[in-house]
Amino acid sequence: IVLTQSPATLSLSPGERATLSCRASQSVSSYLAWYQQKPGQAPRLLIYDTSNRATGIPARFSGSGSGTDFTLTISSLEPEDFAVYYCQQRSDWWTFGQGTKVEIK
Amino acid sequence: EVQLLESGGGLVQPGGSLRLSCAASGFTFSSYGMNWVRQAPGKGLEFLSAISSDGSRTYYADSVKGRFTISRDNSKNMLYLQMNSLTAEDTAIYYCAKERGHRQPCDYWGQGALVTVSP
């Protein structure tokens, strides 16, 4: 299963809303996760099974979707949210999307 | 506190072999599946391999199937990745990661081990 993330780069200001997309080449049901990665750090699990926040993840992060189309929304960007975000499916073992970089405008 | 500490990375010549280790602590290691994921310089994440909690089931991405072997020693809380026939395309940071449940996403990751394949 191929995951395609869009856009490749999102340029926004702190306080703005970020909407990231992940599209699967075939249905992954609800088995879609989102990770955040900052430079020099390991990935951090944000969302699992489409919409469940991982432990300690702030409520400004939310996930939605089903089947082949999924969205990660950051309701109001904090300075620490500027990073690269990856989606991952576990319907057919595991694959990652290519990532979306959220950068400061 | 969950900790995953990779070791065994370094410089290896093309065609060579390397074994990565991951020492786990802070959780019941034998109860969780484990993964290896890598990231080439400036690139995205690539899932490589997974192993079930008891070690009886393994999975490999096509890119490493037949060259890499995942294993674990639950008595020592250790995860391993044996890498053979290495090429320059295997140059990456290699992460071990703990699944949050059976075949679920990984909720804890190590800091990564750098593997460089170069003459």
Side-chain angles (χ1 to χ4, degrees), chain A residues 48-70:
Chain A
Y48 63 93
D49 292 350
T50 299
S51 60
N52 298 286
R53 278 189 300 276
T55 303
I57 301 303
R60 65 180 180 272
F61 291 93
S62 63
S64 62
S66 67
T68 60
D69 290 292
F70 298 87

Side-chain angles (χ1 to χ4, degrees), chain B residues 13-84:
Chain B
Q13 292 190 337
S17 298
L18 209 58
R19 187 175 87 151
L20 299 181
S21 300
C22 174
S25 61
F27 65 103
T28 305
F29 182 70
S30 60
S31 295
Y32 293 90
M34 298 292 294
N35 292 184
W36 286 101
V37 175
R38 71 182 177 187
Q39 188 168 36
K43 302 297 184 182
L45 301 172
E46 180 186 13
F47 169 80
L48 295 180
S49 185
I51 188 167
S52 61
S53 58
D54 63 359
S56 63
R57 289 162 290 161
T58 58
Y59 173 77
Y60 299 94
D62 287 343
S63 59
V64 302
K65 197 175 296 182
R67 299 190 301 126
F68 290 12
T69 302
I70 190 172
S71 62
R72 65 190 295 162
D73 185 338
N74 284 348
S75 68
K76 296 181 179 179
N77 290 354
M78 294 293 295
L79 176 72
Y80 304 101
L81 185 68
Q82 177 67 43
M83 305 184 293
N84 299 329

Side-chain angles (χ1 to χ4, degrees), chain A residues 3-63:
Chain A
L3 298 179
T4 303
Q5 292 187 239
S6 60
T9 303
L10 199 52
S11 299
L12 295 168
S13 300
E16 289 193 295
R17 181 184 189 91
T19 303
L20 288 68
S21 174
C22 178
R23 176 163 290 178
S25 59
Q26 63 189 74
S27 176
V28 298
S29 185
S30 63
Y31 301 136
L32 198 287
W34 291 92
Y35 294 86
Q36 176 194 69
Q37 188 180 34
K38 297 178 181 179
Q41 296 185 16
R44 174 193 183 196
L45 178 64
L46 298 176
I47 301 285
Y48 63 93
D49 292 350
T50 299
S51 60
N52 298 286
R53 278 189 300 276
T55 303
I57 301 303
R60 65 180 180 272
F61 291 93
S62 63

